Each structure stands twice: as C-alpha cells, then as structure tokens.
Amino acid sequence: MTLQDYGIVPNTENLPGIPARVVAQHRDRYEIVCEYGAAYARLKTKDYYWEDAVFPTVGDYVAVNYLTGGDSQILSTLPRHSCFSRREPGPIPRDQAVAANFDYVFVLQSMNQNYNPRRLERYLILARQSGAAPVIVLTKADLTPAWAEFVARTEQLAPGVAVHAVSAATGFGLDGLARWLQPGKTIVFLGSSGVGKSSLVNALAGEELMAVGSIREGDGRGRHTTTHRQMLRLPSGVLIIDTPGMRALGMAEASEGLTASFADVEQYLGRCRFSDCSHTQEPGCAIRAAIERGELDPARWERYRKLRTEAQSHEEALRRKKEWSKNVALSRKARGAKK
C-alpha cells in the first residue's frame, strides 16, 4: 500500500521531507503510510515541543524525514480540512484531537440500553463542529422489532441528519450506507463501547478486521475492543477511522456545532425586548414566549442552555490558557535577548 491508497494527498509543494498519512497512534509513536509503504515515526522534538506546533492525530497528513533503519521523524502537520476534538478530562483546559481529514462522521448508538439522546446530542454538536457531515447509524436492529420507532425518535432529535438502522449480524440496512462508502473517502466512527463499531467494520469489510467484544446483559455496555485510534482500509477502498469508546464526552470548542444542532432554538435568540435578557423573568422574552406557545420544548431549551454554558466556559478557559502561554513565550524570548 502507498500513500495514494489512503486518500487524496494535499498540496505538498515546498514540503520539508516527504508526505505521509498517520494511520494509527500509540502514545508518542505513530504508524504512517508514505511512498515507501508502511512505517513507524516519532515527532521531531525541536519542531513540536519547542514550537507552537499542531500535534498530529490519526488521519493527519504530515511531512516526514523518512529513515530506513528505524523510526522516521515527523517534521510538521499539514493543514486539516476537518478535525474532531473533545475536551480532555482534568483541571487543565485542553482539547484533544481525536481524528482529522475525514469526510463523514458516523455517529453510532445501539438500539438497546445504550441509546442515549443526550449523549447523541453531544456527539452531533462536535461532529458538526468538525467540518464534516454527520450520519447517525443505529445498530443492532436485529435485536429489536421497534427499530422504526428508534429511527423516528432520532429524526425528531436531529432534523436534517440522515438516520439509518442497521444490523451487522444480518446485513439489514447496510445498503443504505452505500452513498457514503465511496473509495478514497474517510469516515470516522464515534460511539461508546458496546455500540457495535467493530462488528459494523467487519460487516462492511466482508471479513474480520477487528476483534469483537462481549456485551454485559445488565446495562448493554461493552468492553473497549479498540484501545487506540487507528485507520482501517476496507477492500472497497473506503477508509475508516475507529476510535476507542467514549462514554464521557466533554464539550470542546463547539459554537458552530451548537448552532447547527440547535437551529430551532437559536432562531429565537436576539429577538427578546432586552439585549441582555436572561430568559427567566424579563418581559418580552422571545424564548419564554415560544415555550408558552408550544413552539419550543422547555426541556430542549434547558439542554441547549447547559451545553452552551459548558462550551463557553471551556472556550474561555482555553483562551486564558493560550494568552498565558503566549506571555510565557514572550517573556522567555525577552530574557534570551538580554543574554
């Protein structure tokens, strides 16, 4: 396999080294594909750790100093056309890039105890924020006769987003995904453990590319069969980025994703009598009026409000962190100039 088998290669004019694509990440070691085939690589310390560089993730195109006798060096990360990020857990605000340079996001939920509308909303917001088109895939249709009800409920939750019910076990509904499964296209799979990502990959490939984990009967959850992010190339030429199951999904920068996912809510913003309306008790509040008229679900408004507050809080923390880092860099530069 060569780089051309792993998607459309971006403009590499004046590129230091040769172009490659990251197909897997194992902490600080990366699997890449380049004109010489598959190889391993590590970041060039000076270029990444001493400069304000974008660290690569699975799906990224990178410039590489190719070495035949050991790990190659990744010199830089090329510009992305899409990127899915999530907020890393912990007290320090930090966004973690999960996948990059994909065309579609398959948001997976299984039609059992795993089905969670609130989690689905979070996935959709971040999927839309990524710059790629989301597609909702409801798995395990063979386990419920009510799959059509799940589809209808999900379509109400995500207007304008394609929703498909499928079964990896029987093949039901898989033909409905054909419009997205085109050679050279990259699709990222997102979903918590137990939704059947590995089973779906195997069904689409027509062979067992991934191990399949067992499911607990009590809560429908599964073990993490994917322990690291990786890109898989199906025999058809479709590229799939599989990710470890994520039950906790903190909101990263998500303003555009929120707007796209909650357009029915945001249409009322800015229409209140007072520009600083808190939407609680002020007269002339467009939000409260829409709720009273039955045009806006109060529960959906409350979910939007909480998600927006969470996203804004994280974005503000990131802004302060970036400003602090900038000041530290300027201070170090000034001290170096005095020597």
Side-chain angles (χ1 to χ4, degrees):
M1 293 294 176
T2 64
L3 182 58
Q4 284 66 34
D5 296 312
Y6 281 82
I8 300 174
V9 182
N11 183 9
T12 57
E13 187 177 356
N14 300 321
L15 189 71
I18 64 171
R21 194 171 194 189
V22 176
V23 297
Q25 182 177 355
H26 309 272
R27 296 192 178 182
D28 60 348
R29 198 172 189 228
Y30 299 82
E31 291 182 48
I32 61 170
V33 172
C34 63
E35 62 185 73
Y36 299 108
Y40 284 93
R42 296 182 186 271
L43 303 179
K44 186 177 180 182
T45 302
K46 179 181 181 300
D47 292 6
Y48 276 94
Y49 291 97
W50 293 3
E51 304 289 341
D52 187 20
V54 176
F55 282 64
T57 189
V58 175
D60 266 322
Y61 290 96
V62 294
V64 172
N65 177 20
Y66 182 77
L67 301 175
T68 57
D71 287 352
S72 299
Q73 286 184 318
I74 298 178
L75 307 175
S76 63
T77 306
L78 304 189
R80 298 162 170 165
H81 68 78
S82 62
C83 180
F84 174 80
S85 299
R86 68 166 180 170
R87 189 189 69 199
E88 285 189 342
I92 300 176
R94 184 182 295 113
D95 283 352
Q96 177 190 43
V98 176
N101 297 315
F102 45 87
D103 302 287
Y104 307 109
V105 182
F106 277 15
V107 179
L108 279 71
Q109 286 209 335
S110 55
M111 292 179 282
N112 55 12
Q113 302 96 316
N114 173 270
Y115 186 83
N116 186 319
R118 306 293 80 78
R119 186 192 300 132
L120 182 59
E121 282 180 338
R122 285 175 173 265
Y123 274 123
L124 281 175
I125 290 169
L126 297 181
R128 281 168 156 152
Q129 184 74 19
S130 73
V135 179
I136 299 175
V137 181
L138 303 177
T139 61
K140 306 184 181 181
D142 56 298
L143 300 183
T144 174
W147 61 267
E149 297 176 15
F150 277 96
V151 170
R153 182 181 176 187
T154 305
E155 288 176 338
Q156 287 185 333
L157 182 70
V161 179
V163 181
H164 293 272
V166 304
S167 168
T170 67
F172 171 82
L174 295 184
D175 54 345
L177 304 178
R179 59 182 293 194
W180 294 283
L181 300 171
Q182 299 298 318
K185 294 295 184 180
T186 302
I187 303 169
V188 61
F189 277 21
L190 298 178
S192 58
S193 58
V195 298
K197 296 194 301 294
S198 299
S199 296
L200 181 57
V201 168
N202 293 340
L204 295 176
E207 58 183 289
E208 189 167 342
L209 296 181
M210 302 187 65
V212 178
S214 59
I215 304 298
R216 296 200 300 256
E217 294 295 335
D219 56 12
R221 292 180 176 178
R223 297 177 179 177
H224 294 283
T225 52
T226 302
T227 58
H228 61 278
R229 296 187 293 277
Q230 60 184 327
M231 177 184 290
L232 302 167
R233 187 179 186 277
L234 304 188
S236 62
V238 177
L239 303 166
I240 293 178
I241 299 177
D242 187 35
T243 60
M246 294 177 287
R247 295 193 185 104
L249 192 66
M251 297 298 292
E253 296 185 62
S255 56
E256 294 180 8
L258 267 170
T259 297
S261 296
F262 285 87
D264 58 321
V265 175
E266 291 202 349
Q267 65 176 316
Y268 299 104
L269 298 179
R271 294 166 57 179
C272 299
R273 180 183 302 177
F274 303 105
S275 60
D276 60 347
C277 184
S278 65
H279 314 300
T280 55
Q281 57 185 7
E282 296 89 344
C285 174
I287 295 293
R288 288 171 51 222
I291 292 175
E292 291 171 0
R293 292 193 302 267
E295 297 175 0
L296 179 60
D297 180 3
R300 184 162 172 79
W301 159 250
E302 185 62 20
R303 294 197 302 274
Y304 168 81
R305 187 189 64 79
K306 290 181 178 179
L307 288 168
R308 184 179 65 174
T309 299
E310 181 183 344
Q312 288 177 339
S313 175
H314 180 63
E315 289 171 6
E316 176 59 23
L318 278 178
R319 186 194 66 77
R320 292 196 302 267
K321 180 176 179 290
K322 289 177 181 178
E323 186 66 26
W324 177 84
S325 299
K326 180 180 178 181
N327 291 336
V328 169
L330 290 174
S331 177
R332 288 175 177 172
K333 185 176 181 180
R335 289 198 302 269
K338 292 179 180 179
K339 293 181 179 180

